Amino acid sequence: RDQRHRLQQEPHPLLQALEQVHREEREELRASHRGALRDLGARHDQLWEVQRELFRATRPHRPSEYQQQRQIEREEDVEADLGRQHRAEELTLQHSHTQQLRDLSQRQQQERSHYYTVQAPVQHAAPRWQPS
């Protein structure tokens, strides 16, 4: 009876191993997503720095008030465009990550279902009565 009670409380070692693999897969995918977002942010920062250097290099030395105003407007427009582009890329990346997580969860659920329909009945079957 104690052994049967223990079996009911502790998941089977195969199920524990499967769940551990699933946790590791989810963490690897999350780490990959964090890395991709970091890389996207770094690319955006680098692009913005290049654009700032270009602005500095192309500014007139003694601009008129009109030239100064036009330069400010151009820089603001470029900054807004870069921000929109970055946000669009970030959203695309997030949608991709969401789909990858959904696919992973679905596959893992199928693996768990397979375990419960194939493996669990064999592992947890009651001992057969044998005549003495």
Side-chain angles (χ1 to χ4, degrees), residues 1-17 19 115-116 120 123-124:
R1 180 172 180 227
D2 286 341
Q3 185 178 4
R4 216 175 345 164
H5 182 68
R6 188 175 52 82
L7 282 175
Q8 289 173 352
Q9 291 202 347
E10 292 179 15
H12 189 273
L14 288 176
L15 181 58
Q16 287 177 331
E19 289 172 348
Y115 170 83
Y116 284 114
Q123 298 296 331
H124 300 292

Side-chain angles (χ1 to χ4, degrees), residues 11 46 62 69 78:
Q46 185 179 22
R62 293 179 177 224
Q69 187 58 38
V78 169

Side-chain angles (χ1 to χ4, degrees), residues 75-90:
E75 290 178 17
E76 288 173 347
D77 288 346
V78 169
E79 184 176 352
D81 288 344
L82 286 174
R84 281 190 294 275
Q85 178 185 352
H86 177 71
R87 184 66 185 142
E89 290 174 4
E90 198 173 52

Side-chain angles (χ1 to χ4, degrees), residues 25 29 83 89 120 126 128:
E25 287 175 334
L29 190 57
E89 290 174 4
R128 293 184 181 201

Side-chain angles (χ1 to χ4, degrees), residues 17-34:
L18 180 65
E19 289 172 348
Q20 180 61 33
V21 167
H22 287 176
R23 281 190 296 275
E24 290 169 2
E25 287 175 334
R26 286 190 303 271
E27 185 49 42
E28 285 175 19
L29 190 57
R30 285 185 190 108
S32 170
H33 294 171
R34 286 189 300 269

Side-chain angles (χ1 to χ4, degrees), residues 99-111:
Q99 185 61 46
Q100 288 173 340
L101 278 171
R102 190 176 299 125
D103 293 346
L104 178 65
S105 293
Q106 185 177 23
R107 180 181 58 76
Q108 290 179 345
Q109 181 59 43
Q110 289 170 347
E111 289 174 358

